[in-house]
Amino acid sequence: MAEEQRSLRSVHATAEQNRSNLDTRADSNSESFQDKLSTTIKLYEECLEIAQRVSLFSPNESLEDISSADLQYLLLHYRLAELIGRIAGGIAERKNHLEKAQKSYEQYLKQLDDYELLSKSDSALLESYQESPTTFSTAATSDAAQRRDIKIRRFREEKELKQKLEYLRQNPEALANDDAAYRSLQLTSIAYATHQTFASLESLAQELHILSLAPPPDAREAHQTTNNSLDSRDRTTRQTNPAATFSDRLDAPAGHLSAGLRGPLLDRQGKPLRPFTLTSSRQEFQQGVFRPDYNLPTMSIDEYLEEERRRGGIIEGGGEASGIRPEVDEDDHDVADQATMKAREWDEFVEANPKGSGNTINRG
């Protein structure tokens, strides 16, 4: 058991060193970076295998049963998901990598939930994610003001966690001799990683949605083949009859503008090959042609002001009402004493600083 734990410690140290080196590099799309990234991912996967083989974490344990030195291994799934999300590739490969990273983030949160390491707000976010992973958002509300407040609050939480981590890491020697301080550092690292996990899950859901809208590979190949044939046909026409394609117009001919939209609408399986619009009748075309050349208003001024007030875009207050002072309750002795002390302090300030005493520029 001790030998296997030492092996986990050594493999984890190597993986952490590789990850730190990758964070300092900017060539994320280079072949050398991707090779180093693949090696680091394999090291973290090996760490997970060792931790599972030695039963490092058990659902029957509590957080107090985990030693301070083993808390860092709770981040293995998070580190793995973070690295998998940086793998480059095509659309299909990218989608597979994102789904794999998503599952690793889910395992990380599940493990923290088993040890009751999630805060109340994080538990609510986890429930929201489990209900709808594809549309998950850290600010799941349609109110713009509330979304702004949530974003600001999460930004402040992230900033506070960063400052705490930097403060705890400033003196590594003290951490080595103080188990409580070292444990606090590990728990803060887990809290920061959890905060980043929900932000990453939101980003992954958005990217997966965008990738799901991409056309299938066969449609892209058919579209590319059509464009290539049109380009070769156009080049042949220009070579055989240059006068046929000459024009003194500055804009391109209509045939060039619509060249990318030629060909069949659907493939043999019924999948669309290019965008198109379905119309019900010629009346819609007439309404689109015979209309004013300016945009008509879609709401009244009162409706616009009400919408701006709901979004928080109107600052209320001020004016004559702001000059009305509230009436003071004469029976409230605390308020009266505060007003008396404020008046005394102002009188003492006026006596100590007579009018003109600060103007020393024009004195002789």
Side-chain angles (χ1 to χ4, degrees):
M1 178 71 69
E3 181 180 357
E4 290 176 341
Q5 288 181 352
R6 282 196 301 270
S7 176
L8 172 61
R9 191 177 299 110
S10 61
V11 175
H12 182 261
T14 306
E16 287 287 288
Q17 183 63 38
N18 289 358
R19 182 182 62 84
S20 179
N21 295 336
L22 290 174
D23 291 339
T24 59
R25 297 180 56 174
D27 55 336
S28 59
N29 293 326
S30 64
E31 184 178 356
S32 60
F33 182 92
Q34 292 296 320
D35 292 341
K36 191 72 172 179
L37 180 63
S38 178
T39 302
T40 308
I41 290 175
K42 291 179 180 179
L43 288 174
Y44 277 106
E45 290 176 346
E46 184 180 355
C47 290
L48 287 173
E49 292 177 359
I50 297 174
Q52 185 177 4
R53 185 168 64 248
V54 301
S55 301
L56 185 62
F57 302 110
S58 173
N60 299 325
E61 296 178 346
S62 62
L63 179 61
E64 289 74 13
D65 298 329
I66 305 177
S67 63
S68 301
D70 292 340
L71 284 175
Q72 58 184 338
Y73 301 127
L74 287 173
L75 295 171
L76 290 177
H77 285 292
Y78 168 77
R79 300 298 185 195
L80 185 61
E82 190 180 26
L83 294 174
I84 292 176
R86 303 171 69 178
I87 300 177
I91 295 179
E93 296 177 352
R94 179 64 179 170
K95 185 178 180 181
N96 293 332
H97 295 324
L98 293 180
E99 291 176 350
K100 188 176 180 181
Q102 201 175 36
K103 292 180 181 179
S104 189
Y105 279 128
E106 293 173 359
Q107 292 175 350
Y108 167 73
L109 292 176
K110 182 180 182 304
Q111 198 171 42
L112 294 188
D113 190 32
D114 292 339
Y115 284 102
E116 299 181 354
L117 274 172
L118 295 178
S119 62
K120 185 176 181 180
S121 59
D122 290 338
S123 298
L125 285 176
L126 179 58
E127 293 180 0
S128 176
Y129 171 77
Q130 291 174 344
E131 291 176 358
S132 180
T134 57
T135 60
F136 171 72
S137 175
T138 55
T141 177
S142 58
D143 191 351
Q146 292 183 5
R147 290 179 62 88
R148 183 183 65 244
D149 294 340
I150 293 175
K151 293 292 184 181
I152 292 174
R153 176 178 59 81
R154 291 190 61 81
F155 174 77
R156 290 176 177 173
E157 291 175 355
E158 180 181 355
K159 185 177 180 181
E160 292 176 358
L161 289 172
K162 280 185 177 180
Q163 293 176 349
K164 187 176 181 180
L165 282 175
E166 292 176 358
Y167 174 77
L168 292 174
R169 290 172 178 171
Q170 286 177 355
N171 193 355
E173 296 180 356
L175 293 176
N177 300 325
D178 190 350
D179 183 72
Y182 180 76
R183 191 175 186 85
S184 178
L185 172 63
Q186 298 299 334
L187 293 176
T188 305
S189 300
I190 293 174
Y192 179 75
T194 305
H195 192 279
Q196 296 295 104
T197 295
F198 286 111
S200 299
L201 287 174
E202 181 179 5
S203 178
L204 289 177
Q206 295 174 356
E207 188 172 355
L208 285 172
H209 175 67
I210 294 174
L211 293 178
S212 65
L213 301 178
D218 53 350
R220 292 196 301 270
E221 293 176 359
H223 182 70
Q224 184 66 27
T225 303
T226 303
N227 289 340
N228 293 337
S229 62
L230 291 173
D231 292 340
S232 62
R233 192 182 310 168
D234 187 58
R235 285 194 300 268
T236 304
T237 304
R238 287 198 302 267
Q239 292 174 0
T240 57
N241 189 9
T245 58
F246 173 77
S247 175
D248 56 356
R249 293 171 58 90
L250 296 180
D251 54 348
H256 288 264
L257 294 177
S258 61
L261 300 180
R262 295 176 180 173
L265 290 175
L266 305 176
D267 61 3
R268 296 180 178 178
Q269 288 76 24
K271 296 181 180 179
L273 300 178
R274 57 185 174 89
F276 59 91
T277 304
L278 297 177
T279 58
S280 59
S281 63
R282 297 179 59 184
Q283 187 67 24
E284 296 184 4
F285 285 105
Q286 295 178 359
Q287 293 176 357
V289 175
F290 301 102
R291 62 180 179 83
D293 58 349
Y294 51 86
N295 294 329
L296 297 175
T298 58
M299 63 176 66
S300 65
I301 297 178
D302 294 336
E303 291 174 346
Y304 170 75
L305 293 177
E306 184 64 24
E307 178 66 17
E308 285 296 314
R309 184 178 292 105
R310 187 187 66 81
R311 294 174 54 193
I314 297 179
I315 301 177
E316 299 181 351
E320 297 179 358
S322 62
I324 301 176
R325 298 183 178 181
E327 297 181 2
V328 180
D329 187 5
E330 297 179 356
D331 297 333
D332 194 346
H333 299 289
D334 295 336
V335 176
D337 293 341
Q338 292 178 2
T340 303
M341 293 301 297
K342 185 176 181 180
R344 288 181 180 177
E345 291 175 358
W346 174 250
D347 293 337
E348 292 175 0
F349 177 82
V350 171
E351 292 177 1
N353 302 274
K355 185 176 181 180
S357 61
N359 187 9
T360 60
I361 297 177
N362 297 327
R363 289 185 177 180

